[in-house]
Amino acid sequence: MANKKYENLDTSYRKTFKDFIKCGIERSKTKKDYSSVIQQCSHKKISFLKENRDKTTITWIGHSTFLIQIKGVNILTDPVYANQMALKKRLSEPGILISELPPIDIICISHGHYDHLDFNTLRHFPKKTRFILPIGLKQKFVSKGYKNVHEMKWWESKDFLGINIAFVPSQHWTKRTLFDRNKSHWGGFVFKTSNDCIYHVGDSAYFSGFKEIGKRFKIDTAIIPIGAYEPEWFMKHNHMSPEEAVQAFLDLNAKLFIPMHYGTFKLADDTPLEALERLCSEWKRKKIKPEKLKISLLGETIHPSIVGNKKEEAITY
C-alpha cells in the first residue's frame, strides 16, 4: 500500500508547468483588499459547549475546523490553529480557543493538506484521542505516537461511540512532501444518528459524487466549502466556486447549508467578502428558501434543527 496512488471519482486534471506559470503571472497582477475579515460571534456559548451532553450543535472555529456535538460526543474536524499558512498570516482569529474546547472524543481529518492537517495543533490533544483518517494517513500518525487511529476508505462506515461515521468521496488531491503526492486519500464525513445527519464535505471541487452522496444519505446539514476558487480556470479542478457550492447543496437535497473554507487563510485570489456576496447572489437567483442558508460567525454555536426550520433571512454581507 505504501506506493499506491489514490484517484478521484471523476476524471482528474493534472496541472502542467505552463499552467503554474500562467497562474503565477495572473496572481502577481491581482490586487485585492483582504482587510474585511469574518466577524466573531459576540455571544459565544463556551460554558454550554463544555456541559452539553444531549443537544446537537455545530460551532465554526475557522476554515474547515468545526466542533460538532452529537449524541453527547464531541467531534473536531480538520483542527488547524496555525497563525499562518506558508508565508501567509491567518486572516481571522479562531472562533474558540483550544483551551475553551470541551474534551474532544473524536478528531476527523479530511485529507493531508496543511490547511486541514496541522500536527502542531494536534500536539494539544492527548495521544489517546481517537482519530479517523483517510486511508494512507495512518502511518504518519503512528510514527508520531498516536495509537487510537482508524483509517477509512470511500463509502466505508463504522460506529464510534454510538454515532455512525461514513467516509465519502470528494474531488481533490493531497501532498505534504515532494514524494507523497496522492499517497493518501481525501474525502468528507457523514455523521449519522437516529435523529441527525451532518455532512462535512472536506475539500472538494464540484463533481458527480454529490448526487450519489445525496442518494445514499438523508442529509440534514451540509457544511460546504465556498472559497479558494480564483483564478477559476486554475482552481476549479480542486475547489468549488460559491455557485458550484450551491449546486452541490441542491444535488445533496440537504435541509441546511453552512459555508466554510473561506476567510481564514489566503489560499487563492478570492476574498472572503467576494465569496459570501457570490454565495448570497446565487442563493437568491436559484430562489432557494432563505432559512436553508446559515452563514455562521466565528465561534457561533448553531442548533441545526432549529435554524433550518426558522423563517429568517440568510445573513448577507
Side-chain angles (χ1 to χ4, degrees):
M1 299 294 289
N3 293 319
K4 179 176 174 62
K5 289 288 189 91
Y6 293 91
E7 299 178 348
N8 280 306
L9 194 64
D10 289 357
T11 303
S12 297
Y13 174 80
R14 185 71 181 265
K15 297 183 179 79
T16 66
F17 181 71
K18 186 177 180 180
D19 289 336
F20 281 97
I21 295 298
K22 179 183 176 183
C23 180
I25 293 172
E26 285 188 18
R27 297 190 70 179
S28 68
K29 297 177 181 178
T30 302
K31 304 295 181 184
K32 292 185 178 181
D33 182 9
Y34 291 87
S35 62
S36 179
V37 299
I38 307 304
Q39 299 174 26
Q40 296 278 342
C41 179
S42 60
H43 49 283
K44 299 177 184 179
K45 300 181 179 180
I46 306 301
S47 297
F48 167 78
L49 293 174
K50 289 184 176 181
E51 297 170 1
N52 181 33
R53 295 293 181 272
D54 58 349
K55 298 287 191 294
T56 297
T57 71
I58 300 172
T59 304
W60 191 31
I61 296 171
H63 199 53
S64 188
T65 308
F66 283 80
L67 170 65
I68 298 174
Q69 297 183 308
I70 183 169
K71 207 173 181 180
V73 178
N74 295 319
I75 301 170
L76 204 58
T77 64
D78 291 351
V80 175
Y81 276 79
N83 290 323
Q84 64 181 52
M85 191 58 51
L87 300 177
K88 303 291 185 180
K89 289 186 177 181
R90 193 179 183 110
L91 298 175
S92 54
E93 294 297 317
I96 297 179
L97 300 177
I98 290 181
S99 60
E100 295 174 327
L101 290 170
I104 300 301
D105 300 298
I106 301 173
I107 294 178
C108 293
I109 305 293
S110 66
H111 65 294
H113 277 150
Y114 283 90
D115 58 318
H116 295 259
L117 170 55
D118 178 38
F119 280 109
N120 284 331
T121 295
L122 298 185
R123 288 190 300 105
H124 295 275
F125 301 96
K127 293 285 188 179
K128 65 179 181 180
T129 303
R130 180 181 278 102
F131 286 90
I132 304 179
L133 313 170
I135 188 168
L137 265 183
K138 182 175 181 178
Q139 189 53 44
K140 287 185 184 294
F141 280 74
V142 172
S143 67
K144 294 180 182 294
Y146 298 99
K147 298 188 179 353
N148 196 358
V149 179
H150 306 266
E151 284 187 330
M152 296 184 73
K153 302 176 183 178
W154 281 354
W155 303 121
E156 186 177 3
S157 64
K158 296 180 181 179
D159 288 334
F160 295 95
L161 303 178
I163 302 170
N164 183 265
I165 300 180
F167 186 59
V168 297
S170 67
Q171 184 81 6
H172 203 56
W173 68 291
T174 192
K175 181 180 179 181
R176 289 182 72 85
T177 72
L178 292 173
F179 310 105
D180 66 351
R181 180 184 176 90
N182 294 351
K183 289 189 177 181
S184 60
H185 224 165
W186 46 88
F189 292 95
V190 178
F191 307 99
K192 185 179 178 182
T193 68
S194 57
N195 296 318
D196 300 284
C197 187
I198 299 170
Y199 171 33
H200 183 285
V201 172
D203 217 347
S204 184
Y206 177 76
F207 75 127
S208 63
F210 290 123
K211 291 181 180 179
E212 182 62 26
I213 293 166
K215 290 177 183 177
R216 296 195 186 202
F217 301 93
K218 190 175 180 181
I219 297 168
D220 297 311
T221 303
I223 306 171
I224 305 175
I226 65 167
Y229 56 85
E230 283 194 351
E232 289 188 50
W233 68 267
F234 185 79
M235 303 299 288
K236 68 180 296 184
H237 306 287
N238 306 124
H239 294 138
M240 284 182 278
S241 68
E243 293 82 3
E244 289 172 322
V246 172
Q247 186 57 53
F249 174 75
L250 295 174
D251 290 351
L252 293 166
N253 196 30
K255 297 177 182 177
L256 180 66
F257 180 150
I258 299 175
M260 66 164 174
H261 203 275
Y262 71 100
T264 303
F265 300 109
K266 184 181 180 297
L267 301 175
D269 290 341
D270 46 289
T271 69
L273 186 60
E274 286 174 332
L276 289 174
E277 286 176 342
R278 285 178 56 167
L279 173 64
C280 291
S281 177
E282 182 69 0
W283 201 263
K284 291 176 181 177
R285 192 183 75 82
K286 292 279 191 179
K287 297 180 180 179
I288 308 172
K289 293 180 180 179
E291 62 268 20
K292 286 179 170 284
L293 173 64
K294 175 56 180 175
I295 299 174
S296 177
L297 302 176
L298 289 166
E300 181 179 7
T301 295
I302 298 168
H303 297 263
S305 61
I306 297 174
V307 173
N309 294 312
K310 190 176 180 181
K311 305 298 182 182
E312 61 180 17
E313 288 295 323
I315 299 174
T316 55
Y317 285 75

